């Protein structure tokens, strides 16, 4: 509680009796015993075209739905409702494509990608007053085999 009372959100630092202190990633790793050996996330904002393309190619959204979603938030966010709907569509597609191994493989990539993006927005990087997640996280889910490498 002492640290919470001394936190200054404008400067992202703590104001202590000896002066201003900033806690680094190394400090957090040492205090909480969390490893920092993974790949750090470093990204910039995606353009509307990039977001639309990702939604179509990586989540299996139809172009009209993707365009509507991009225009709604100017390419910055994806609504949870949109993700939940596409998760169910892709899950159904996996069951229907049981005879075609190539189609099953495509759907098996899209289903976890959609679910992980939903989890990122609702559990890890949660903003309680919103009903969406940032679309940039989709970039990190392009290859789900490497998700465990991120720090």
């Amino acid at each position: 509680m002492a640290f919470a009372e001394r936190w200054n959100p404008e400067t992202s630092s703590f104001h202590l009796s000896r002066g201003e202190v900033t806690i680094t990633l190394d400090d957090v790793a040492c205090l909480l015993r969390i490893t920092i050996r993974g790949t750090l996330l470093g990204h910039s904002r995606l353009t509307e075209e990039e977001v639309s393309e990702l939604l179509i190619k990586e989540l299996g959204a139809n172009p009209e739905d993707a365009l509507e979603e991009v225009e709604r938030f100017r390419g910055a966010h994806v609504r949870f409702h949109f993700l939940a709907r596409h998760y169910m569509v892709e899950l159904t597609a996996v069951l229907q494509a049981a005879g075609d191994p190539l189609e099953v493989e495509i759907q098996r990539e899209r289903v976890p990608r959609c679910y992980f993006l939903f989890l990122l927005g609702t559990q890890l990087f949660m903003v309680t007053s919103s009903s969406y997640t940032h679309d940039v996280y989709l970039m990190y889910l392009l290859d789900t085999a490497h998700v465990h490498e991120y720090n």
Side-chain angles (χ1 to χ4, degrees), residues 15-151:
H15 292 278
L16 304 175
S17 58
R18 295 190 167 250
E20 193 172 296
V21 176
T22 302
I23 294 180
T24 66
L25 183 59
D26 193 44
D27 295 332
V28 172
C30 181
L31 293 170
L32 300 178
R33 301 190 198 299
I34 298 173
T35 61
I36 55 171
R37 295 186 188 139
T39 305
L40 294 175
L41 302 182
H43 53 266
S44 59
R45 186 173 174 166
L46 299 174
T47 66
E48 291 181 18
E49 293 80 25
E50 290 170 327
V51 174
S52 182
E53 184 179 313
L54 282 172
L55 293 176
I56 293 167
K57 184 179 177 196
E58 305 301 336
L59 294 185
N62 67 41
E64 294 82 26
D65 282 349
L67 185 60
E68 179 185 334
E69 194 67 19
V70 167
E71 288 177 351
R72 180 173 296 231
F73 290 111
R74 294 191 179 102
H77 303 97
V78 179
R79 291 175 299 147
F80 296 141
H81 175 70
F82 178 87
L83 291 173
R85 186 179 60 210
H86 284 286
Y87 174 77
M88 292 308 296
V89 166
E90 295 303 318
L91 199 55
T92 304
V94 168
L95 298 173
Q96 292 174 348
D100 184 6
L102 181 60
E103 189 64 27
V104 168
E105 188 60 34
I106 290 171
Q107 302 306 330
R108 284 192 180 166
E109 284 289 320
R110 289 178 176 168
V111 170
R113 193 175 292 131
C114 193
Y115 185 69
F116 289 155
L117 187 57
F118 184 83
L119 283 177
L120 286 172
T122 59
Q123 303 300 314
L124 295 177
F125 303 119
M126 179 176 60
V127 177
T128 56
S129 63
S130 58
S131 59
Y132 56 82
T133 187
H134 293 279
D135 56 17
V136 74
Y137 300 138
L138 185 54
M139 288 179 17
Y140 301 108
L141 301 174
L142 296 181
D143 188 0
T144 53
H146 294 286
V147 169
H148 70 283
E149 296 173 1
Y150 292 123
N151 204 357

